[in-house]
């Protein structure tokens, strides 16, 4: 084999002669599963004759003749693909419609098709056209370029050789599908996650094209092409096994005819280029295939199932049914949702399921439904708050939804309810952040109303409005907000001097999400604030938090260490030193360089800082990352103390998670006690000359005397964050505490005296993370993780109060209770059902072929209790009574399956285990099948408990940890009451 440029002197242009029809045999196959043979896999196959003809200069016609679709769910490679005859019949008209495309010098341009050709069918054509995309050069035989295709414009490597005997030309083209401009991909659930660049890449993709060509007078004739594309996903480290989606295509020239191809009679219009076109992929989850013919009727059916089967005890399949309800509502129009609501709003159980599911649908129709029903007074304020809290954060972020949220915040009805307005404004900021995560060129104009509100609030000195605006800008995390925020930072803006410390703190915290995107912009600001010794210590410590979250370099960390050595305030020095020292032990991939920098800084610092008091301001950070699992967790806590009192000025706790190349601050809770600090300053607790123990005594005495504190002054605040987004906050004062205690106690006692009997069911969508990417065949593959839970309980409670409480319980309820004897009887059957599903495979509008891991937990814990509280004498007695137990109080199962299903044959799904049956005589370290039970007794309580364990795996195939995971595994626990001989 020698270089092409030596032997071949013709043009390297694919030649399809005018007046000729080229007939090829085509086959495209997708197969998903683990790479090892002998395990279960799922997939589909498309085969057809491909007719190709030049219609005019640079314009060609392509037609599929006799297309066939096959499906696969079996043990590879011994099982065979099965024809999907009904599905083929349903799709033939769509697939067989001729399309047109521009083609010049081996490059595919625009694609044309009649309007009735679906996006799904056109994508299959694009998969074939991509094979024809050949950017060949006469002057080079090895070169790189970025080439357009279904996945985007991807890095492509060409190698061209010529057989010196036959003069056949071989072209080897390879693509890196993770290195693409304008990458075609759909992600949901990643908006607030951070890409952990340092973590191992969990999803990789490559495609290799191999062409055989023969020289012609006008160029080269494509005689055969094969494509091998692999998408590999490693939820765990690749050494322990990775699931693959393998795509193969073959295109082989059979004959050249003179028969023309008749185009369709309908008008042809431009339908894009080779780039994959997304259609209704997001409306259909890969965990179940729904044919939605009547959204209202089907939703009513699911609602009835959920309401009827989760009354006395939670149904084990309730989470999956709840996911189905969400899917139906996503496909529903506003009119559909309104009709469903009107049918069921007077039924308490049905009403609650709708209110739980509609916000999670996340569609503009669902958000409009929530808004309009509240405006029409069909929702109570608590119902609307809960629905809106989820709805705004789950809604699909686009300019229309952002505008809808802005209009809602400005409505007169919302303006009259400050707490609701705060929720909406925070959600508005999150929606902007979500939109900008998907559209990197998003304009800062979406935040102009917030910037204007902040400027107006500064001019009027409205502290609460300034803080709210800062929290919204913090959620949005847009770099354009840095300038408005800096106006409120001491040393940067003139307005900062007139602001209290809590505004300075809010402004500094608003930099955190900006720092994740543009750390270099935030670092100098945070450093200057930390080094400003005239600034309040709390603000400086918060600046230290922001600075270290920018992941500073060794040089910057050493600069901080030098400042700490000279720091006159023990509180600031203690906080910064403890934070640096805790970072030295970090093992998380994205913190490795920070840990190294922290180790250098600790060597600079004096060890006398190790001897700080337990009551000093402190930062804690601890993490654990397991490389083989590509997963980890981190916990961080900050305690900011005031030297004058024992009560911390602020406490923050944060949990962070790492999984499959992504990281996210899952939850964060912060409490500030600035008002309480000021109140304590007016008590003996603030005596500077008192020792620490005396201060503790005085502080505790002041806290027990909290009723004597001023009613109008704020005592503190608390905020909650999820995935880096602040979702709610509240300011606390003495009136707030008084009202909460009085109202809660009053309502509880009244309900207990009258008796409580109700059924409670609360569903939750724990995780919905999806990534949809095109394949070479033109069929989408999807990676998804879903988890949902339903908590349900039937509760009966009755209380007897002696002496009876007076009918008028408007005030003084706590004083009345101190004089009573309360007898309580309660019986409940609380239960939890959870389901988690991880899938990879084909999720097409009419067919699904996926490999799935399913985990299920179902627990029921019935109890019956009698209690008596003689409050005047201080006697409390609790007695546990026998309660009827179900067959199993807990059941856990996990299995891995290959599933294929299509709408034409639904519900005749084909499902097999990934683990094949063990052959007779197979040997392994761990048995391929386990079934055991173990029972024990607790004589004193007369309780007997049993656990049953069953497992079937593929361990007989060899020593690989993944072989012991695939299969079916389950455990069940049962509990019985009774008497046994000998006891």
């Amino acid at each position: 084999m020698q270089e092409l440029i030596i032997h071949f002197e013709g043009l390297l242009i694919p030649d399809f002669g005018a007046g000729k029809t080229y007939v090829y045999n085509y086959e495209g196959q997708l197969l998903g599963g683990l790479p090892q043979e002998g395990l279960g896999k799922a997939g589909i196959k498309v085969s057809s004759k491909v007719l190709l003809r030049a219609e005019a200069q640079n314009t060609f016609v392509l037609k599929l003749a006799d297309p066939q679709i096959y499906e696969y769910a079996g043990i590879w490679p011994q099982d065979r693909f099965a024809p999907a005859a009904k599905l083929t019949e349903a799709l033939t008209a769509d697939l067989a419609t001729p399309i047109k495309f521009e083609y010049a010098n081996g490059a595919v341009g625009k694609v044309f098709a009649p309007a009735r050709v679906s996006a799904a069918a056109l994508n299959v054509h694009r998969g074939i056209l991509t094979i024809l995309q050949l950017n060949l050069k006469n002057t080079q035989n090895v070169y790189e370029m970025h080439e357009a295709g279904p996945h985007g414009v991807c890095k492509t490597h060409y190698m061209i050789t010529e057989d010196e005997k036959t003069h056949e030309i071989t072209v080897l083209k390879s693509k890196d599908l993770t290195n693409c401009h304008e990458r075609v991909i759909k992600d949901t659930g990643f908006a607030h996650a951070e890409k952990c660049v340092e973590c191992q890449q969990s999803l990789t993709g490559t495609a290799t094209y191999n062409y055989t060509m023969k020289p012609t007078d006008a160029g080269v004739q494509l005689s055969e092409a094969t494509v091998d594309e692999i998408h590999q996903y490693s939820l765990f480290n690749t050494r322990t096994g990775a699931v693959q989606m393998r795509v193969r295509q073959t295109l082989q020239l059979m004959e050249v005819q003179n028969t023309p191809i008749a185009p369709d009679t309908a008008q042809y219009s431009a339908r894009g280029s080779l780039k994959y076109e997304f259609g209704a992929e997001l409306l259909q989850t890969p965990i179940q295939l729904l044919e939605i013919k009547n959204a209202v009727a089907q939703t009513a059916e699911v609602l009835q199932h959920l309401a009827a089967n989760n009354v006395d005890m939670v149904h084990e399949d309730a989470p999956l049914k709840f996911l189905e309800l969400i899917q139906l509502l996503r496909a529903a129009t506003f009119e559909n949702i309104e009709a469903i609501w009107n049918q069921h709003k007077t039924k308490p159980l049905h009403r609650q399921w709708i209110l739980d599911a509609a916000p999670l649908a996340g569609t503009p129709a669902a958000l409009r439904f929530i808004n309009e029903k509240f405006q029409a007074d069909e929702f109570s304020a608590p119902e609307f708050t809960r629905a809106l809290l989820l709805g705004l954060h789950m809604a699909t972020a686009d300019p229309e939804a952002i505008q809808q949220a802005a209009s809602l915040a400005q409505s007169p009805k919302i303006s009259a309810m400050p707490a609701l307005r705060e929720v909406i404004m925070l959600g508005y900021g999150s929606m902007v952040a979500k939109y900008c995560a998907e559209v990197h060129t998003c304009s800062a104009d979406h935040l102009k109303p917030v910037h204007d509100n902040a400027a107006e609030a500064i001019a009027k000195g409205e502290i609460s409005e300034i803080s709210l605006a800062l929290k919204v800008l913090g959620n949005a995390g847009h770099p354009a907000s840095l300038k408005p925020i800096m106006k409120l930072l001491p040393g940067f803006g003139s307005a900062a001097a007139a602001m209290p410390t809590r505004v300075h703190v809010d402004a500094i915290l608003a930099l955190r999400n900006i720092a994740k995107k543009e750390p270099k912009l935030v670092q100098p600001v945070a450093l200057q604030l930390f080094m400003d010794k005239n600034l309040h210590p709390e603000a400086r410590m918060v600046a230290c938090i922001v600075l270290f979250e920018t992941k500073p370099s060794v040089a910057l960390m050493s600069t901080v260490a030098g400042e700490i050595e000279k720091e006159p305030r023990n509180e600031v020095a203690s906080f910064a030193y403890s934070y640096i020292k805790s970072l030295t032990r970090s093992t998380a991939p994205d913190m490795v360089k920070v840990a190294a920098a922290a180790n250098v800084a600790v060597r600079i610092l004096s060890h006398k800082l190790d001897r700080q008091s337990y009551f000093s301001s402190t930062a804690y950070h601890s993490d654990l990352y397991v490389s083989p699992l590509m997963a980890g967790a981190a916990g961080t806590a900050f305690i900011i103390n005031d030297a004058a009192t024992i009560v911390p000025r602020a406490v923050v706790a944060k949990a962070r998670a790492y999984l499959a190349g992504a990281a996210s601050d899952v939850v964060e809770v912060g409490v500030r006690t600035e008002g309480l600090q000021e109140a304590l300053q007016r008590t003996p607790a603030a005596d500077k000359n008192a020792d620490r123990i005396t201060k503790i005594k005085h502080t505790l005495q002041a806290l027990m005397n909290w009723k004597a504190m001023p009613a109008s002054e704020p005592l503190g605040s608390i905020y909650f964050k999820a995935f880096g987004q602040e979702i709610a906050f509240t300011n606390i004062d003495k009136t707030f505490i008084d009202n909460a205690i009085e109202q809660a106690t009053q309502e509880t006692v009244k309900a207990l005296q009258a008796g409580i009997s109700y059924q409670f069911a609360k569903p939750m969508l724990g995780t919905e993370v999806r990534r949809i990417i095109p394949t070479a065949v033109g069929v989408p593959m999807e990676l998804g993780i879903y988890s949902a839970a339903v908590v349900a309980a039937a509760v009966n409670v009755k209380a007897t109060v002696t002496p009876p409480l007076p009918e008028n319980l408007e005030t003084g309820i706590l004083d009345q209770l101190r004089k009573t004897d309360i007898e309580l009887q309660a019986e409940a059957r609380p239960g939890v059902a959870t389901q988690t599903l991880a899938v990879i495979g084909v999720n097409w509008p009419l067919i699904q072929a996926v490999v799935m891991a399913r985990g299920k937990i179902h627990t029921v814990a019935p109890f019956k209790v009698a209690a008596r509280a003689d409050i005047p004498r201080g006697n409390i007695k609790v007695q546990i009574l026998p309660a009827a137990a179900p067959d199993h109080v807990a059941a856990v199962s996990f299995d891995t399956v290959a599933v294929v299903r299509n709408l034409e044959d639904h519900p005749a799904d084909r499902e097999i285990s990934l683990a094949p049956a063990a052959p007779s005589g197979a040997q392994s370290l761990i048995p391929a099948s386990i079934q055991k039970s173990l029972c024990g007794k607790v004589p004193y309580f007369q309780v007997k408990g049993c656990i049953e364990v069953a497992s079937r795996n593929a361990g007989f195939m060899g020593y690989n940890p993944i072989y012991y995971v695939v299969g079916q595994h389950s455990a069940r626990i049962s509990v019985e009451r009774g008497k046994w001989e000998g006891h």
Side-chain angles (χ1 to χ4, degrees):
M1 305 289 282
Q2 297 185 12
E3 287 191 353
L4 171 68
I5 54 175
I6 295 174
H7 292 281
F8 187 66
E9 298 178 356
L11 291 173
L12 272 179
I13 298 173
D15 174 31
F16 297 100
K20 296 178 180 179
T21 298
Y22 294 78
V23 181
Y24 289 87
N25 264 353
Y26 170 75
E27 184 175 288
Q29 174 185 301
L30 299 93
L31 205 60
L34 292 164
Q36 295 85 351
E37 291 188 353
L39 297 175
K41 295 180 187 286
I44 68 168
K45 183 168 71 175
V46 179
S47 68
S48 176
K49 283 187 178 180
V50 174
L51 280 62
L52 187 64
R53 187 179 179 90
E55 184 185 58
Q57 187 177 9
N58 299 338
T59 302
F60 287 73
V61 179
L62 184 146
K63 177 181 172 63
L64 302 187
D66 191 26
Q68 298 291 323
I69 298 173
Y70 302 82
E71 58 187 26
Y72 187 90
I75 303 299
W76 183 261
Q78 51 262 46
D79 293 333
R80 295 288 176 257
F81 280 86
K86 292 182 180 178
L87 184 61
T88 297
E89 184 181 351
L91 291 176
T92 294
D94 212 9
L95 289 172
T97 302
I99 69 159
K100 298 180 182 181
F101 64 99
E102 295 175 344
Y103 194 60
N105 298 326
V108 178
K110 293 179 182 178
V111 178
F112 303 86
R116 62 179 173 81
V117 176
S118 67
L122 196 55
N123 284 329
V124 173
H125 288 88
R126 288 188 173 101
I128 299 169
L129 292 178
T130 302
I131 300 175
L132 304 180
Q133 180 85 336
L134 279 162
N135 290 285
L136 303 176
K137 297 183 179 181
N138 279 66
T139 56
Q140 294 174 277
N141 67 329
V142 178
Y143 54 94
E144 285 187 350
M145 62 184 299
H146 274 77
E147 184 176 89
H151 313 86
V153 182
C154 302
K155 187 176 181 180
T156 306
H157 181 274
Y158 274 89
M159 186 172 71
I160 308 172
T161 57
E162 181 186 16
D163 188 295
E164 55 186 22
K165 291 182 179 180
T166 65
H167 298 294
E168 275 193 347
I169 298 161
T170 301
V171 177
L172 180 64
K173 179 173 78 171
S174 57
K175 287 190 173 188
D176 180 357
L177 302 180
T178 58
N179 186 352
C180 303
H181 305 314
E182 305 171 27
R183 192 178 181 191
V184 180
I185 191 169
K186 276 282 185 183
D187 285 338
T188 62
F190 289 94
H192 302 309
E194 305 162 40
K195 289 183 180 178
C196 179
V197 178
E198 298 81 1
C199 304
Q200 179 180 334
Q201 288 294 316
S202 59
L203 178 61
T204 58
T206 61
T208 303
Y209 294 72
N210 207 318
Y211 299 88
T212 301
M213 300 178 175
K214 296 178 180 179
T216 66
D217 293 339
V220 288
Q221 184 183 79
L222 175 60
S223 56
E224 187 176 3
T226 61
V227 182
D228 192 1
E229 179 178 290
I230 296 178
H231 297 272
Q232 181 168 288
Y233 177 67
S234 310
L235 179 59
F236 305 135
N237 191 295
T238 51
R239 293 193 300 270
T240 60
V243 68
Q244 287 184 351
M245 196 74 190
R246 189 150 194 172
V247 183
R248 288 188 173 95
Q249 289 174 289
T250 60
L251 188 70
Q252 189 172 19
L253 181 64
M254 302 306 295
E255 60 177 323
V256 180
Q257 301 176 345
N258 295 320
T259 309
I261 302 173
D264 196 82
T265 55
Q267 183 178 355
Y268 280 70
S269 58
R271 298 283 296 273
S273 60
L274 280 180
K275 190 181 292 186
Y276 182 89
E277 179 187 351
F278 282 105
E281 287 87 348
L282 288 175
L283 293 179
Q284 178 172 279
T285 65
I287 57 176
Q288 50 193 344
L289 186 61
L290 297 181
E291 184 179 12
I292 302 174
K293 294 181 178 179
N294 186 327
V296 176
Q298 288 173 261
T299 305
E301 184 181 341
V302 175
L303 276 173
Q304 180 58 32
H305 182 281
L306 289 167
N309 291 285
N310 295 279
V311 178
D312 295 330
M313 190 166 56
V314 63
H315 193 280
E316 63 177 345
D317 289 328
L320 197 58
K321 277 291 179 183
F322 182 60
L323 289 172
E324 185 178 343
L325 177 61
I326 295 171
Q327 189 176 340
L328 286 165
L329 290 176
R330 282 179 180 160
T333 63
F334 171 76
E335 291 74 21
N336 292 152
I337 302 175
E338 190 171 43
I340 294 162
W341 173 253
N342 290 334
Q343 285 181 19
H344 302 285
K345 63 183 178 184
T346 58
K347 305 170 188 175
L349 295 178
H350 296 70
R351 177 189 181 97
Q352 194 55 52
W353 284 104
I354 296 172
L355 289 172
D356 286 326
L360 297 173
T363 61
L367 198 60
R368 178 186 166 193
F369 161 75
I370 294 168
N371 180 22
E372 291 196 8
K373 293 308 161 188
F374 173 70
Q375 299 291 353
D377 293 323
E378 293 188 37
F379 288 170
S380 66
E383 284 177 335
F384 180 62
T385 303
R386 289 195 301 269
L388 203 61
L389 193 63
L390 281 173
L392 287 172
H393 290 274
M394 292 296 296
T396 302
D398 55 32
E400 180 188 350
I402 292 171
Q403 184 54 48
Q404 197 173 353
S407 301
L408 184 60
Q410 294 167 1
S411 71
K413 192 169 184 177
I414 295 297
S415 299
M417 307 172 77
L420 270 178
R421 181 172 170 270
E422 290 167 0
V423 168
I424 295 169
M425 290 298 292
L426 292 174
Y428 178 85
S430 296
M431 196 175 284
V432 172
K434 208 174 184 181
Y435 177 65
C436 292
E438 295 178 4
V439 181
H440 300 295
T441 56
C442 71
S443 170
D445 290 345
H446 295 299
L447 289 169
K448 188 176 184 303
V450 185
H451 293 161
D452 293 343
N453 285 351
E456 185 180 345
I458 292 170
K460 295 180 179 178
E462 296 175 340
I463 302 301
S464 60
E465 277 298 302
I466 295 171
S467 290
L468 177 59
L470 287 170
K471 289 174 182 290
V472 175
L473 296 178
N475 273 3
H478 198 291
S481 296
L482 186 60
K483 189 174 180 181
I485 293 170
M486 288 177 66
K487 291 179 180 178
L488 294 163
L489 295 175
F492 292 94
S494 57
M499 297 297 157
T501 300
R502 70 185 180 100
V503 170
H504 297 162
V505 170
D506 286 339
I508 297 169
L509 290 174
L511 299 173
R512 293 171 78 184
N513 280 336
I514 299 175
K516 292 175 182 177
K517 300 173 184 176
E518 300 289 346
K520 298 299 182 186
L521 288 179
V522 174
Q523 277 179 354
V525 178
L527 180 63
Q528 183 173 327
L529 290 167
F530 174 71
M531 294 171 65
D532 186 352
K533 294 179 175 57
N534 295 320
L535 196 58
H536 193 284
E538 181 185 3
R540 294 181 63 197
M541 286 183 261
V542 171
C544 179
I545 293 171
V546 175
L547 179 62
F548 287 170
E549 286 184 351
T550 65
K551 300 173 184 173
S553 64
V554 174
L556 185 53
M557 190 75 84
S558 300
T559 301
V560 173
E563 283 299 312
I564 296 172
E565 278 286 281
K566 300 179 290 184
E567 177 56 49
R569 291 182 179 269
N570 287 337
E571 294 300 319
V572 176
S574 167
F575 182 85
Y577 176 75
S578 62
Y579 200 175
I580 292 173
K581 190 172 182 182
S582 67
L583 289 174
T584 61
R585 299 184 291 271
S586 179
T587 59
D590 62 332
M591 297 295 288
V592 169
K593 292 181 181 178
V594 178
N599 273 291
V600 173
V602 164
R603 293 190 185 99
I604 296 173
L605 292 165
S606 170
H607 289 290
K608 68 181 181 181
L609 291 168
D610 273 326
R611 298 189 291 272
Q612 293 292 330
S613 163
Y614 282 108
F615 301 104
S616 300
S617 295
T618 312
Y620 301 93
H621 176 87
S622 180
D623 59 46
L624 175 67
Y625 188 83
V626 184
S627 293
L629 300 181
M630 287 178 58
T636 310
F638 307 111
I639 300 173
I640 297 175
N641 272 320
D642 192 313
T645 66
I646 193 63
V647 177
R649 189 175 184 90
V651 178
V652 177
K654 180 176 74 170
R656 185 173 174 84
Y658 297 87
L659 182 65
S664 184
D665 295 330
V666 180
V667 65
E668 179 177 318
V669 180
V671 179
R672 299 186 64 226
T673 62
E674 67 279 2
L676 181 60
Q677 292 282 337
E678 293 169 7
L680 290 174
Q681 290 291 330
R682 298 190 289 269
T683 70
D687 185 359
K688 293 182 179 179
N689 297 320
D691 58 42
R692 178 64 69 174
I693 300 300
T694 305
K695 282 186 178 182
I696 293 173
K697 290 179 180 178
H698 287 163
T699 299
L700 291 174
Q701 188 175 4
L703 291 174
M704 292 178 68
N705 246 352
W706 63 275
K707 284 196 170 186
M709 293 182 180
S712 58
E713 292 184 11
L715 298 177
S717 60
I718 182 169
Y719 72 81
F720 300 91
K721 283 189 174 186
F723 301 102
Q725 297 292 300
E726 189 161 337
I727 57 174
F729 71 93
T730 185
N731 294 313
I732 301 170
D733 56 22
K734 179 178 172 293
T735 304
F736 176 90
I737 297 172
D738 280 339
N739 291 341
I741 293 175
E742 191 74 26
Q743 187 174 355
T745 309
Q746 188 180 115
E747 290 179 359
T748 302
V749 172
K750 280 184 178 181
L752 289 174
Q753 286 188 112
I756 298 174
S757 179
Y758 70 96
Q759 287 78 40
F760 168 84
K762 181 65 180 176
M764 290 165 281
L765 179 62
T767 307
E768 186 182 20
V769 175
R770 305 173 66 183
R771 169 161 285 183
I772 306 171
I773 54 180
T775 64
V777 176
V779 173
M781 66 161 281
E782 177 166 343
L783 290 152
I785 301 175
Y786 301 79
S787 67
V790 176
V791 181
V795 181
N796 290 286
V797 184
K798 176 67 177 176
T800 304
V801 182
T802 308
L805 294 172
E807 291 185 7
N808 183 9
L809 284 172
E810 297 303 320
T811 57
I813 181 66
L814 292 176
D815 293 332
Q816 292 284 342
L817 285 175
R818 293 191 184 101
K819 305 171 186 176
T820 60
D821 184 347
I822 302 175
E823 290 185 21
L824 183 74
Q825 284 194 342
E827 184 175 6
R829 292 170 65 87
V832 179
T834 67
Q835 289 192 14
T836 300
L837 305 102
V839 297
I840 181 171
V842 174
N843 183 22
W844 219 18
L846 296 176
I847 187 171
Q848 294 176 340
V850 298
V851 171
M852 185 184 306
R854 301 181 296 206
K856 184 188 292 187
I857 300 174
H858 184 220
T859 63
V860 180
F863 69 86
K864 193 174 183 180
V865 65
R868 181 177 179 181
D870 188 345
I871 298 176
R873 297 180 182 177
N875 295 330
I876 297 176
K877 181 182 179 182
V878 179
Q879 184 180 8
I880 299 175
L881 303 175
D887 293 340
H888 298 93
V889 295
V892 180
S893 66
F894 173 82
D895 67 344
T896 53
V897 294
V899 184
V900 65
R901 49 199 169 213
N902 70 75
L903 281 181
E904 297 302 318
D905 292 313
H906 198 60
D909 302 353
R910 296 172 58 205
E911 179 179 304
I912 68 152
S913 172
L914 293 193
S920 59
Q923 298 293 322
S924 65
L925 295 168
I926 299 176
S929 181
I930 301 172
Q931 194 154 357
K932 292 185 178 180
S933 63
L934 179 67
C935 294
K937 303 173 184 176
V938 185
Y940 179 78
F941 292 99
Q942 297 184 349
V943 170
K944 176 183 177 183
C946 292
I947 180 169
E948 304 168 35
V949 177
S951 177
R952 186 172 76 84
N953 58 62
F956 64 89
M957 295 181 63
Y959 184 69
N960 186 327
I962 205 72
Y963 289 152
Y964 302 110
V965 175
V966 299
Q968 297 96 25
H969 315 278
S970 64
R972 299 191 299 181
I973 300 173
S974 59
V975 177
E976 295 178 3
R977 280 185 169 270
K979 295 183 179 180
W980 294 277
E981 293 181 5
H983 300 287

